[in-house]
Every structure is written in structure tokens, then in C-alpha cells.
């Protein structure tokens, strides 16, 4: 608690395998300096899935650099800095997240494909019998969430075999919402293991079934505590439309945040069950941005692009940065909603991982939201992952080419 524990600051930016990425400039190239670990106040939580869970706890920590401040390469710090921009304008975001995940049977090897739980129907949307068969796991997940101070709303059977979705209550503590998403993912994986199952928030674990998304509902209150997206008129207010224009305009530049990994881009293919274009609609789940309510305190936008494999701190920072971009640039064009008889789907976001990362790397919008240093560090980590994964020869290449060429 007094900062006596140290870790290298480069720990904030490893690749997906946990290795140092020299191109970030954080590692041995600069001597790999340490940061001091300090616990995040209020984040001490029990670990309910541990065999002796009453005696095991976990705590979120941040690393302070040699200035005594939380390092600027902390994703959590990135979100806090974005919230400070809103606060400087007298504004306060309110968010709620939805996370999808799959349960699957235990595997014998890491490269083995997942298999749904026994008796899983191919399409199980809202299936009550599925909930009954998995009640023991789901009850433990919900009980564990409550024990950890999380605020789950509903837990439902989703469309794919073995797929479920958790909705969290909305909150004006945006950092806590991101904390909750991180803690919940660990809770689900641990609880599944306790029951002899696996769980994954991988964006697309099955080629022919829906992927896992992380939807974010966002509104903004003003100094008077009232929702600025509600101006008392019927339909979307001007400020809500400005916010939508902002997140649409910034979406292509920030796709590498919403889809960080190779597998993420399987959700951005035709017929993937997921929105994959910068368009919007009212009650339209095919749209990248949906407006579930446009009047009253619940007026908000729902951002539907991100996979469940993302970093929640960075996703919320990116979405809020897009909203601020729209509020600060009222002349941004806004296409017709998909609900309009003349509305059209926008050109889809790229389905190519490298293209998305290259766009982010060169983006002034990304630099404006995250800072040039963090944009470049994030780019270096993603490019390292691209190199690691695309240089390996896959099984399908051997199966297709080795005996024929």
C-alpha cells in the first residue's frame, strides 16, 4: 500500500503472449525502469471461485512513474484523462456495458477448437431450458459478481450455442464501469473452470455462429445533472445527433481499439451477425450506433461495434472521445438513419487487421484522443502481434497446399 512493490513500466504494454515489445520504447532500450505499484482504492475484492475463496482476494493496481503520478501509458489513466476533459466542460458521462461470452467444454490442447456444452441448441436465444441446465454456473457468476461489488442487471442466454450476455446497470462512475468489465471477465473464466468448463470472451470463437460483443450505452449529464441529449423535443435532439456524428466520424480511425486482435476481424465480415459499418439508426440493431431512447433521462446512444475481447478502458475512452469530437464540431455531417426510407448502409469498416492498425497509426484523431505517445505505443504492440501471428504457418495452409503443390 505504500508503494514498496515495483514492476517494470513496460508491463503496461506487453504483446498478447506477455512478451516485451521493444518498439514501444518502454523496455530494455531505455533500461526498463520500474514503476511503483499502488492499489486502486476500493478495488479489493474476494475471489469467489478459488477453492478457499473466503481467504483469497484480488486488487487492482496502478504503476506510478518517477514523477509520482500514474503512468500515462496506463489505459485506466487514459480514461481518467478523457473524463477530465468532460469535467472541464461541466459534463459527466453515464455509461452501461453489455458483455457476451461463450461457455465451452474442456479442451485437451490449446489449439483445439471449442465445443459447446452438451445439449446446446444451435440457436438458443432467450432459451429458458438452456438457463436451467447452466443454472449452477450462472448462479455462481451472479453471486460472485455481487460479492465483488459489481452491479449486474440481467444475465440471458444469447443466440449462439453456449453463449450468454450480461448487462450492467448504468453508472456515472465511468472508470468503475470499465473496472467492472475487467473484473467480470476474470470472474466468468474462473467460475467456469470451477465447474469443469471453459469460458471465453474471444470475439469470434465459432466461424458460423455470432461473435462476442461489448456494447456500450452512453449519455451525458450537464452541470444541472440533467441529460444533455434530451432537450424536451420529440426525436433525437441536436446534441444527441452531434454526438452520433462524432462517433461515426471517428470510428474508422479508432477501429484498432474496437477490434484489437486478428480474430476480432472475423466480426467485420458479411454475414457475421454483428454491425460492421459507421451508420446509425433508432431501434435498429443492424446499425453500428443505435439510439434505444431519444427522450427523457434515458436518451442515449448505444455503441455496438466493439468485440468483448477489447480493453474496456480504451474502448470507453475512444467512444467518449468521439462524442466530444461531435459536440465540439457541430458542423460534422450526419447521414440519414437506417430507419429512414432513404437511409443507406455506410461503407463497412475494414475487415483487414493491418489496415485498421495502419489507419490508427497515422490518425490525428487517435493522437488527439490518446496522445501521440500512447497512439504510437499501442500501434507498436498491435504490429508486434500482427508479425507474431501472421508469420506462423497455419494448419489450413498445410492441409490445402503441402500435398498439392
Amino acid at each position: 500500500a505504500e508503494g514498496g512493490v515495483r514492476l517494470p513500466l513496460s508491463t503496461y504494454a506487453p504483446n498478447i503472449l506477455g512478451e516485451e515489445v521493444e518498439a514501444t520504447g518502454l523496455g530494455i532500450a531505455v533500461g526498463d525502469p520500474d514503476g511503483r505499484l499502488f492499489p486502486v482504492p476500493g478495488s479489493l475484492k474476494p475471489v469467489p471461485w478459488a477453492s478457499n475463496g473466503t481467504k483469497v482476494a484480488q486488487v487492482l493496481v496502478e504503476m506510478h512513474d518517477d514523477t509520482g503520478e500514474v503512468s500515462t501509458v496506463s489505459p485506466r489513466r487514459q480514461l481518467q484523462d478523457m473524463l477530465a476533459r468532460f469535467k472541464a466542460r461541466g459534463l459527466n458521462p453515464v455509461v452501461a456495458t453489455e458483455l457476451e461470452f461463450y461457455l465451452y467444454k474442456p479442451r485437451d490442447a490449446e489449439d483445439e477448437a471449442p465445443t459447446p456444452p452438451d445439449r446446446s441448441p444451435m440457436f438458443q436465444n432467450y432459451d429458458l431450458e438452456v438457463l436451467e441446465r447452466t443454472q449452477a454456473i450462472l448462479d455462481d457468476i451472479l453471486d460472485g459478481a455481487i460479492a465483488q461489488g459489481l452491479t449486474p442487471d440481467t444475465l440471458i442466454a444469447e443466440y449462439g450455442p453456449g453463449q450468454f450476455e450480461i448487462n450492467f446497470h448504468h453508472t456515472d462512475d465511468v472508470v468503475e464501469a470499465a473496472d467492472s468489465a475487467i473484473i467480470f471477465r476474470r470472474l466468468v473464466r474462473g467460475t467456469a473452470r470451477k465447474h469443469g468448463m471453459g469460458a471465453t470472451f474471444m470475439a469470434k470463437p465459432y466461424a458460423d455462429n455470432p461473435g462476442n460483443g461489448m456494447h456500450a450505452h452512453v449519455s451525458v449529464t450537464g452541470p444541472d445533472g440533467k441529460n444533455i441529449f434530451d432537450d424536451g423535443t420529440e426525436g433525437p435532439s441536436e446534441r444527441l445527433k452531434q454526438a452520433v456524428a462524432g462517433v461515426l466520424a471517428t470510428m474508422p480511425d479508432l477501429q484498432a481499439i474496437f477490434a484489437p486482435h486478428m480474430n476480432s476481424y472475423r466480426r467485420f465480415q458479411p454475414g457475421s451477425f454483428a454491425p460492421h459499418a459507421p451508420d446509425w439508426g433508432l431501434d435498429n440493431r443492424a446499425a453500428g450506433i443505435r439510439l434505444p431512447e431519444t427522450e427523457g433521462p434515458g436518451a442515449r446512444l448505444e455503441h455496438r461495434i466493439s468485440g468483448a475481447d477489447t480493453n474496456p478502458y480504451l474502448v470507453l475512452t475512444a467512444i467518449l472521445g468521439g462524442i466530444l469530437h461531435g459536440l465540439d464540431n457541430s458542423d460534422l455531417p450526419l447521414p440519414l438513419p437506417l430507419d429512414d426510407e432513404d437511409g443507406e448502409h455506410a461503407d463497412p469498416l475494414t475487415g483487414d487487421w493491418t489496415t485498421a492498425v495502419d489507419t490508427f497509426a497515422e490518425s490525428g484523431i487517435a493522437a488527439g484522443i490518446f496522445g501521440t505517445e500512447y497512439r504510437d505505443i499501442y500501434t507498436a504492440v498491435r504490429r508486434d502481434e500482427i508479425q507474431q501471428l501472421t508469420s506462423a504457418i497455419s494448419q489450413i495452409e498445410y492441409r490445402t497446399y503441402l500435398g498439392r503443390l
Side-chain angles (χ1 to χ4, degrees), residues 134-153:
T134 53
Q135 183 172 350
I137 298 179
L138 300 182
D139 281 352
D140 275 1
I141 289 173
L142 287 174
D143 289 346
I146 293 169
Q148 292 185 312
L150 309 183
T151 57
D153 184 5

Side-chain angles (χ1 to χ4, degrees), residues 117-151:
D118 290 337
R119 299 170 63 195
S120 293
M122 185 58 68
F123 310 109
Q124 64 170 44
N125 214 23
Y126 308 123
D127 192 311
L128 295 181
E129 292 186 7
V130 167
L131 292 177
E132 288 178 7
R133 286 196 294 272
T134 53
Q135 183 172 350
I137 298 179
L138 300 182
D139 281 352
D140 275 1
I141 289 173
L142 287 174
D143 289 346
I146 293 169
Q148 292 185 312
L150 309 183
T151 57

Side-chain angles (χ1 to χ4, degrees), residues 91 220-224 226-231 237 239-240 327:
L91 302 176
V220 179
T221 59
D224 58 1
K226 294 182 179 179
N227 190 340
I228 69 167
F229 293 156
D230 174 37
D231 62 3
S237 67
R239 277 186 135 177
L240 181 51
L327 296 178

Side-chain angles (χ1 to χ4, degrees), residues 63 65 69-75 77-78 81 370 373-374:
M63 279 191 281
D65 57 24
E69 299 294 325
V70 173
S71 172
T72 56
V73 296
S74 159
R77 164 78 183 269
Q78 286 286 324
D81 288 348
F370 294 100
E373 178 194 28
Y374 195 85

Side-chain angles (χ1 to χ4, degrees), residues 70-330:
V70 173
S71 172
T72 56
V73 296
S74 159
R76 199 172 187 273
R77 164 78 183 269
Q78 286 286 324
L79 179 55
Q80 290 171 323
D81 288 348
M82 176 55 66
L83 293 170
R85 298 192 206 182
F86 276 80
K87 187 176 181 180
R89 293 166 169 79
L91 302 176
N92 189 48
V94 178
V95 306
T97 60
E98 303 171 357
L99 277 165
E100 295 169 330
F101 62 93
Y102 274 94
L103 295 176
Y104 59 88
K105 296 169 71 172
R107 300 179 301 159
D108 294 327
E110 286 189 352
D111 60 356
E112 184 180 335
T115 302
D118 290 337
R119 299 170 63 195
S120 293
M122 185 58 68
F123 310 109
Q124 64 170 44
N125 214 23
Y126 308 123
D127 192 311
L128 295 181
E129 292 186 7
V130 167
L131 292 177
E132 288 178 7
R133 286 196 294 272
T134 53
Q135 183 172 350
I137 298 179
L138 300 182
D139 281 352
D140 275 1
I141 289 173
L142 287 174
D143 289 346
I146 293 169
Q148 292 185 312
L150 309 183
T151 57
D153 184 5
T154 57
L155 180 58
I156 62 170
E158 254 296 342
Y159 200 82
Q163 188 181 32
F164 300 88
E165 179 185 84
I166 185 78
N167 299 331
F168 288 99
H169 286 288
H170 66 276
T171 176
D172 60 1
D173 190 336
V174 178
V175 176
E176 184 180 52
D179 290 342
S180 294
I182 291 286
I183 293 169
F184 181 76
R185 292 196 307 206
R186 179 167 155 79
L187 165 69
V188 169
R189 290 192 294 265
T191 304
R193 286 194 301 270
K194 179 181 177 181
H195 286 264
M197 298 289 288
T200 185
F201 292 84
M202 183 177 174
K204 190 80 169 172
Y206 300 104
D208 297 325
N209 294 112
N212 289 321
M214 189 188 87
H215 301 165
H217 294 252
V218 185
S219 60
V220 179
T221 59
D224 58 1
K226 294 182 179 179
N227 190 340
I228 69 167
F229 293 156
D230 174 37
D231 62 3
T233 61
E234 184 177 349
S237 67
E238 285 304 310
R239 277 186 135 177
L240 181 51
K241 288 191 285 188
Q242 288 173 10
V244 172
V247 293
L248 293 180
T250 57
M251 194 179 288
D253 283 32
L254 303 176
Q255 187 180 357
I257 296 290
F258 305 135
H261 305 297
M262 173 189 279
N263 177 260
S264 308
Y265 290 83
R266 294 189 181 276
R267 292 181 68 248
F268 291 88
Q269 306 297 330
S272 72
F273 299 89
H276 54 277
D279 45 29
W280 70 290
L282 298 176
D283 195 9
N284 192 322
R285 286 181 168 81
I289 302 297
R290 172 176 170 255
L291 306 186
E293 293 186 40
T294 60
E295 302 170 32
R300 65 191 187 277
L301 63 83
E302 179 189 9
H303 193 281
R304 297 174 55 81
I305 291 295
S306 294
D309 59 339
T310 54
N311 183 310
Y313 303 108
L314 299 183
V315 166
L316 293 179
T317 301
I319 294 172
L320 294 176
I323 289 175
L324 211 56
H325 181 70
L327 296 178
D328 289 347
N329 297 276
S330 58

